[in-house]
Amino acid sequence: MFRGVLGAATSIFLAATATAQDVKRISVNGTELAYVELGRGDPVIFVHGGLQDYRMWAGHLPKFADRYRAIAYSRRNNFPNESSPEGMPDGAADAHGEDLAALVRALGLSKVRVVAHSSGAHAALFFAASHPEMVTSLALNEPPAAGMLAGTSDGADVLKEFGGKLAAAREAIRAGNAEIGIPLFVNGVGGAGAYERRSDVDKQMNLDNFATYRADAMTKRPRPVFTCDMAKTINAPTLLSNGESSPKFFHRIIDQLASCLPNQERTTIAGSSHTVPSEKPDAFDQAVLAFFSRH
């Protein structure tokens, strides 16, 4: 069942924009996904990261709507879609990538631009590699595509260091302790104080999406591996972004993607850690819009 009422900030945002911004639902691969849209023109689909949903893009859509049909959706097992700790894990990037392809078809679109963050960007990589004919261009912020580190000189050390930072968080999440697990996870990824700096609205969004992250911590589903060979099949222009102070894990993944993708540009957003679109939204949107104007 779809769950309750939108967060306060999103409600204000929706009320202030066109009626087309109302939450819609669409059948995709045997489930229903919620989405919102604003504007007209070439389609741009926004894909959220972990502990998030379509609401993370609320402040971004109006900036794109002058030029594009901006569409933000909630991935499977994320608010306000049906969700469960036994459902699709956040890290099932291959499955989420196929949902994205099915969403594009269900919306009657042929080619799209994609703006994606974190685990959503990982899903977008699988989508683009499997369905290159659907992609006009991509803007990807820090996908956790750990498979890109295989065979690199420091890959094992980078993975071990990053995993160590998140071990306590994953244990608390696996046990169902959101109060401890969510702050530990956010601070592990974004640095000390990252969770405390989040707005009450963002903290509520994190809590609303706890089930899918618990599914991620509990799942026995093998994690999909995105490789350099897969990246080499993506010919669409791709913008790769990092936060200036993000963990080395994400910078090394972007290093590897930059060496494998045939048609890429790279940017680093100053004064930000992992959650660049939320921490530095204006700088992020300016970089993406400028990139899309060239591609």
Side-chain angles (χ1 to χ4, degrees):
M1 297 292 293
F2 286 88
R3 285 188 284 153
V5 181
L6 300 174
T10 303
S11 298
I12 293 170
F13 170 74
L14 295 180
T17 55
T19 55
Q21 187 62 31
D22 291 342
V23 180
K24 302 175 182 179
R25 295 171 175 85
I26 194 165
S27 294
V28 167
N29 284 346
T31 192
E32 277 194 315
L33 303 182
Y35 73 100
V36 294
E37 62 177 302
L38 191 67
R40 296 181 179 179
D42 291 340
V44 179
I45 297 186
F46 292 78
V47 193
H48 63 82
L51 294 175
Q52 298 168 330
D53 53 59
Y54 77 88
R55 293 174 294 179
M56 78 160 284
W57 302 110
H60 299 261
L61 299 192
K63 301 175 191 176
F64 285 78
D66 286 345
R67 309 181 201 179
Y68 303 104
R69 180 185 174 189
I71 303 163
Y73 75 103
S74 289
R75 290 188 285 126
R76 185 187 294 257
N77 209 24
N78 286 270
F79 178 95
N81 306 327
E82 182 177 358
S83 62
S84 166
E86 287 75 44
M88 184 69 72
D90 180 74
D94 51 350
H96 289 295
E98 286 306 307
D99 279 352
L100 176 54
L103 175 68
V104 171
R105 296 189 195 100
L107 290 170
L109 305 174
S110 55
K111 296 190 74 169
V112 297
R113 292 177 169 85
V114 176
V115 180
H117 167 61
S118 194
S119 51
H122 199 190
L125 283 169
F126 278 92
F127 162 69
S130 298
H131 305 279
E133 74 286 354
M134 292 185 173
V135 184
T136 300
S137 52
L138 302 163
L140 306 179
N141 183 69
E142 298 199 343
M148 295 298 303
L149 300 178
T152 60
S153 60
D154 62 347
D157 291 337
V158 170
L159 282 168
K160 182 178 179 180
E161 178 188 10
F162 187 65
K165 290 181 179 179
L166 298 181
R170 292 188 71 83
E171 186 59 36
I173 290 169
R174 188 179 295 112
N177 193 330
E179 183 178 359
I180 292 176
I182 292 175
L184 281 175
F185 177 80
V186 173
N187 289 334
V189 171
Y195 180 76
E196 290 72 22
R197 290 190 295 272
R198 291 194 169 179
S199 68
D200 289 343
V201 170
D202 281 344
K203 289 177 181 177
Q204 183 61 51
M205 179 172 62
N206 297 159
L207 186 60
D208 288 340
N209 290 288
F210 182 68
T212 186
Y213 230 76
R214 193 174 179 207
D216 201 66
M218 295 168 62
T219 187
K220 291 181 170 40
R221 185 185 194 273
R223 288 194 174 271
V225 177
F226 188 84
T227 66
C228 184
D229 285 343
M230 295 170 71
K232 288 177 180 177
T233 69
I234 301 174
N235 291 311
T238 303
L239 177 67
L240 301 170
S241 60
N242 279 118
E244 180 183 26
S245 58
S246 293
K248 184 178 181 180
F249 173 78
F250 293 110
H251 283 267
R252 291 294 289 119
I253 288 171
I254 294 295
D255 289 343
Q256 294 306 110
L257 281 169
S259 71
C260 296
L261 288 165
N263 188 3
Q264 58 80 31
E265 297 179 21
R266 187 170 179 177
T267 187
T268 299
I269 305 299
S272 178
S273 185
H274 175 60
T275 315
V276 174
S278 298
E279 295 176 38
K280 294 293 178 181
D282 290 340
F284 178 78
D285 289 340
Q286 288 169 11
V288 174
L289 284 166
F291 179 77
F292 282 172
S293 71
R294 298 191 299 272
H295 303 284

